[in-house]
Amino acid sequence: LPTGLGWALVFTPSLGTVSRYFPARRALATGLVVSGASVSGLALGPLVPLLLDTYGWRGALLLLAATSFNLVAAGALLRPLPVPNESPGPPRDRPGLVGLLRHGPFLRYALAFVLVDAGYYVPFVHGAARAHEVGCDEHHAGLVMAAMAAVDGGGRVAAGWLATRPATPLLRHLFAWATGTGLVLLLLPLGTTFGGLLALALAYGFCAGAVVPLQFADVAEVVNAGQVVNAIGLMQMFESVGSLLGAPIAGWLRDTTGTFTISFLAAGAFLLAGSLLILTLPGFFSTSRGGGKEAPPIPSDPL
């Protein structure tokens, strides 16, 4: 519980700060920031067993905790920036969390990622079991999972870089990558050999990674810049429901049907349903993006 709370207190303000620092290249900056999670994940895979063998579980946890304390120094380097056209002083006129709960576009955006997350983590949780199901041994199953995790970081950076190129609304980039992720997930049951499963896992890891920076960068396209941190935190609270339920539902479907086919098809359907909700957001069908301009304020009755 304390670890999860600490992660939330670090992750949400960090992403909100990035959105404030780089309004014109928000997607690229976010992609570079969140790619660090993929790098650390790959590094910790072989490192943690080594620490456990050398120092025991208590020593390993102390070393990981000491590493995490570097976040204190990193956080001290962040400085708040004023929002354009925002008057100094207490934020009396901001709608706050209550206003976000009455903001129709934001609620649809949050619901979209409840659905997306219900399918998103299924291959990461059940991928190794699927590899065993099609006849892979431990080594080959590990290669599938490692490959999927490795290209995840590349997808995050690539999506951020591509989003800076054409003058296309960021929401369209997010829709394209989320839809592609859902379609690849629907195709995963076709991977019945090691080679086929590996190719699909690579495609899924890249597309899934690409969704991450755009998800957080697009929050500023839905709400005004002064509400980004609140909106990211509230969105993550909502989407945790999908994250918690998706993998158990997939496991239950596997136990019921005897195969992961329906599990992956259902997960892909969740992702595509979330993608369709993005089509309903204001600005999706506009001809160009705002170039980092301030989003309009949250109206009094936005539903």
Side-chain angles (χ1 to χ4, degrees):
L1 182 61
T3 303
L5 177 62
W7 168 252
L9 292 175
V10 170
F11 189 75
T12 301
S14 299
L15 287 178
T17 302
V18 170
S19 294
R20 298 277 290 269
Y21 278 10
F22 305 98
R25 292 179 173 266
R26 185 179 295 117
L28 178 58
T30 305
L32 291 171
V33 168
V34 296
S35 65
S38 297
V39 175
S40 62
L42 288 173
L44 287 176
L47 180 61
V48 170
L50 178 62
L51 293 177
L52 290 171
D53 292 339
T54 306
Y55 301 104
W57 68 269
R58 288 185 177 88
L61 286 178
L62 286 174
L63 288 171
L64 291 174
T67 303
S68 298
F69 268 117
N70 286 283
L71 292 170
V72 176
L77 298 175
L78 300 178
R79 291 292 183 271
L81 294 179
V83 178
N85 303 322
E86 183 183 58
S87 59
R92 299 175 183 173
D93 298 329
R94 287 190 192 171
L97 294 177
V98 175
L100 288 171
L101 291 173
R102 299 177 60 247
H103 188 257
F106 169 73
L107 292 177
R108 294 197 298 276
Y109 192 74
L111 177 58
F113 279 96
V114 172
L115 295 171
V116 166
D117 278 19
Y120 185 95
Y121 294 103
V122 170
F124 293 105
V125 175
H126 296 295
R130 170 60 178 173
H132 292 310
E133 186 178 72
V134 300
C136 296
D137 57 21
E138 286 290 340
H139 174 69
H140 287 88
L143 283 178
V144 169
M145 299 306 296
M148 187 161 54
V151 299
D152 176 275
R156 298 182 185 206
V157 176
W161 178 77
L162 289 172
T164 65
R165 292 298 177 259
T168 304
L170 285 178
L171 287 170
R172 293 190 192 176
H173 286 270
L174 175 60
F175 172 77
W177 285 113
T179 301
T181 306
L183 291 175
V184 175
L185 188 44
L186 290 177
L187 294 175
L188 271 177
L190 299 179
T192 56
T193 64
F194 169 70
L197 187 60
L198 179 62
L200 289 168
L202 287 169
Y204 183 81
F206 191 86
C207 292
V211 170
V212 177
L214 297 173
Q215 171 190 357
F216 297 109
D218 276 345
V219 172
E221 305 290 313
V222 180
V223 303
N224 60 63
Q227 286 292 94
V228 167
V229 175
N230 287 339
I232 290 177
L234 198 57
M235 176 185 66
Q236 288 189 289
M237 184 182 73
F238 288 147
E239 67 177 314
S240 64
V241 176
S243 303
L244 290 171
L245 293 179
I249 290 174
W252 174 76
L253 289 172
R254 165 66 176 83
D255 292 340
T256 302
T257 63
T259 176
F260 276 109
T261 298
I262 300 300
S263 301
F264 287 138
L265 291 177
F270 277 126
L271 264 159
L272 292 178
S275 302
L276 291 176
L277 271 179
I278 297 172
L279 294 173
T280 70
L281 297 172
F284 182 88
F285 293 103
S286 63
T287 56
S288 64
R289 71 177 64 160
K293 295 181 180 178
E294 184 77 1
I298 296 176
S300 58
D301 187 14
L303 295 174

